């Protein structure tokens, strides 16, 4: 793996807030950043050296983008695999590569991969058509969640099927008519946690486990330290490292887990990238997740992840971002994503509150 020097160019597939924060961190180390995305006036492009505004299936532009970059990474997991393969075929390394992307894009492959690598997920079944749904539901005691296999995020592409509900069943049949799905058993968990892992060819480091609060499938808050026993935290971190190693992942990933009443852990999903539940790390640790990702993809050693503060991180949704200037205290660390419209339910920024020295 080639170690890149300041002045090299990092390409980022995707122009959202994660790309923006990665670009700012890369610039701090002297790297130029090129953004490739279909959107006009994306948050990331306004802080990058150059933007390639094109579709992900524009092979001519992808080849030119690859030639302009020394290494390429991605900021979200729904980048078409074919786009990454085209960049790799042009001779430019993509870190992390296609394996992490392919598996994370398909919930059935994801759950299967987790199970095969000793990270038990919630019980699940592949559902390809509406005719197989009723019997599968009975096996899950009529308490399950139907999810599309692909293109789901932030609670989208899923329907809760909790006891007989004709309206929900009708919606489920409609969803199955449009896309193959996966049925997941409803997990009566005590709390949700996640572990963020940074990995290079030479080893991995994990940040402290966060405890997460979701509303409607969208992360609203993450608190550190999580209110869990040390043994649970250790097992969560071990699972994150095991996953990163199994994928051969270079960069940052996040593994989301359910803590069950008996102390067991069930995997929910993973993201092969920097993650919302790790947004607290730049303001609470010696090295944050965005710096770690940049270090990983350019071949630099990872930085220390010692946590210095107890923190609470809250997403700023929609118009709530407009109140930031009036509500700040000296312990608050806001990050605003630069999106032009504060739409309802849209992540517009986040704020990390330092609650005192690390406990």
């Amino acid at each position: 793996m080639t170690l890149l020097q300041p002045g090299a160019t990092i390409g980022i597939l995707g122009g959202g807030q994660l790309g923006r924060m990665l670009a700012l961190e890369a610039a701090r180390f002297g790297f130029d950043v090129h953004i490739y995305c279909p959107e006009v006036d994306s948050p990331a492009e306004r802080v990058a050296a150059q933007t390639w505004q094109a579709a992900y299936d524009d092979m001519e532009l992808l080849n030119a983008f690859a030639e302009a970059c020394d290494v390429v990474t991605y900021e979200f997991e729904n980048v078409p695999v074919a786009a990454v393969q085209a960049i790799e075929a042009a001779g430019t390394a993509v870190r992390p590569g296609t394996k992490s992307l392919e598996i994370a894009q398909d919930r059935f492959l994801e759950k299967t991969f987790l199970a095969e690598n000793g990270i038990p997920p919630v019980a699940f079944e592949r559902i390809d058509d509406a005719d197989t749904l009723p019997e599968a539901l009975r096996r899950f005691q009529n308490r399950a969640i139907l999810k599309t296999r692909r293109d789901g995020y932030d609670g989208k592409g899923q329907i809760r099927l909790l006891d007989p509900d004709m309206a929900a069943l009708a919606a489920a049949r409609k969803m199955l008519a449009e896309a193959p799905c996966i049925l997941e058993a409803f997990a009566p968990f005590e709390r949700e946690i996640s572990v963020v892992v940074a990995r290079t060819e030479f080893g991995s480091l994990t940040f402290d486990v966060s405890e997460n609060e979701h509303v409607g499938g969208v992360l609203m808050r993450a608190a550190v330290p999580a209110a869990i026993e040390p043994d649970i935290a250790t097992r969560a971190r071990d699972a994150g490292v095991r996953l990163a190693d199994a994928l051969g992942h270079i960069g940052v990933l996040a593994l989301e887990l359910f803590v069950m009443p008996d102390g067991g852990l069930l995997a929910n999903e993973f993201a092969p990238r920097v993650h919302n539940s790790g947004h607290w790390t730049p303001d609470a640790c010696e090295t944050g997740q965005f710096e770690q990702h940049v270090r990983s993809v350019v071949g630099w050693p990872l930085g220390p992840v010692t946590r210095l503060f107890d923190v609470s991180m809250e997403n700023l949704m929609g118009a709530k971002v407009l109140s930031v200037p009036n509500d700040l205290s000296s312990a608050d660390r806001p990050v605003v994503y630069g999106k032009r419209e504060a739409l309802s339910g849209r992540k517009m920024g986040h704020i990390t509150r330092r609650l005192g020295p690390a406990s």
Side-chain angles (χ1 to χ4, degrees):
M1 180 172 173
T2 304
L3 185 150
L4 298 183
Q5 301 295 333
T9 298
I10 301 173
I12 300 176
L13 296 168
Q17 65 260 25
L18 301 180
R20 180 185 178 98
M21 289 181 276
L22 284 170
L24 289 168
E25 202 62 50
R28 190 166 69 88
F29 286 102
F31 295 105
D32 289 335
V33 173
H34 287 202
I35 299 297
Y36 189 108
C37 69
E39 295 80 20
V40 177
D41 193 32
S42 68
E45 76 170 80
R46 297 199 301 278
V47 299
Q50 183 173 335
T51 298
W52 303 66
Q53 196 264 310
Y56 288 119
D57 61 359
D58 189 328
M59 294 301 157
E60 183 177 348
L61 262 294
L62 280 170
N63 284 332
F65 174 71
E67 291 176 6
C69 299
D70 295 292
V71 68
V72 171
T73 189
Y74 43 83
E75 62 117 32
F76 76 121
E77 59 267 41
N78 288 324
V79 173
V81 170
V84 173
Q85 291 172 331
I87 292 169
E88 291 176 329
T92 301
V94 181
R95 300 178 185 134
T98 56
K99 185 174 182 178
S100 295
L101 198 63
E102 282 182 305
I103 293 172
Q105 283 182 359
D106 186 318
R107 285 182 166 122
F108 178 73
L109 295 181
E110 176 189 45
K111 294 289 192 300
T112 302
F113 187 83
L114 288 164
E116 289 174 346
N117 286 280
I119 306 168
V122 295
F124 67 99
E125 288 192 25
R126 173 176 169 169
I127 308 291
D128 292 328
D129 56 69
D131 292 339
T132 60
L133 179 60
E135 187 176 343
L137 263 175
R138 283 193 292 272
R139 285 193 288 272
F140 290 155
Q141 288 77 50
N142 290 317
R143 294 180 63 77
I145 303 174
L146 186 72
K147 300 180 180 180
T148 54
R149 285 180 58 172
R150 306 180 72 86
D151 299 326
Y153 65 96
D154 281 352
K156 298 176 176 64
Q158 56 184 267
I159 298 171
R160 289 182 172 235
L161 299 169
L162 305 180
D163 300 319
D165 182 333
M166 298 309 294
L169 282 171
R173 289 182 177 276
K174 183 177 185 297
M175 193 163 78
L176 277 162
E178 298 171 351
C181 295
I182 182 175
L183 190 69
E184 298 179 6
F186 186 75
F189 56 85
E190 284 195 341
R191 52 181 45 87
E192 298 175 84
I193 62 173
S194 62
V195 59
V196 175
V197 183
R199 183 180 182 275
T200 71
E201 290 181 340
F202 308 106
S204 303
L205 289 174
T206 60
F207 292 96
D208 283 356
V209 175
S210 69
E211 182 172 345
N212 306 326
E213 178 188 345
H214 288 81
V215 177
V218 180
L219 179 69
M220 289 296 165
R221 295 174 188 82
V224 188
I228 55 177
E229 295 297 323
D231 172 65
I232 295 175
T234 297
R235 284 187 281 123
R237 296 171 84 150
D238 289 347
V241 171
R242 190 180 313 126
L243 172 62
D245 288 345
L247 291 167
H249 191 89
I250 301 298
V252 166
L253 66 72
L255 174 62
E256 297 181 334
L257 300 148
F258 296 134
V259 181
M260 304 306 289
D262 64 358
L265 292 175
L266 293 178
N268 179 26
E269 62 185 16
F270 77 88
R273 52 169 171 79
V274 289
H275 193 254
N276 198 173
S277 68
H279 284 356
W280 56 272
T281 59
D283 295 306
C285 300
E286 289 191 55
T287 310
Q289 65 166 348
F290 301 101
E291 179 179 337
Q292 293 290 50
H293 190 78
V294 171
R295 284 171 173 262
S296 298
V297 301
V298 301
W300 289 18
L302 295 172
V305 293
T306 306
R307 182 170 57 85
L308 306 175
F309 300 96
D310 289 353
V311 292
S312 173
M313 188 282 298
E314 179 182 353
N315 275 327
L316 299 170
M317 308 298 291
K320 191 170 184 179
V321 73
L322 303 178
S323 65
V324 166
N326 302 320
D327 296 342
L328 285 181
S329 76
S330 60
D332 293 345
R333 300 293 188 272
V335 177
V336 178
Y337 301 152
K339 297 177 182 179
R340 298 300 192 190
E341 292 184 274
L343 302 176
S344 176
R346 191 182 196 188
K347 293 176 182 174
M348 298 299 297
H350 66 267
I351 190 163
T352 300
R353 294 186 169 89
R354 293 177 175 174
L355 306 177
S359 58

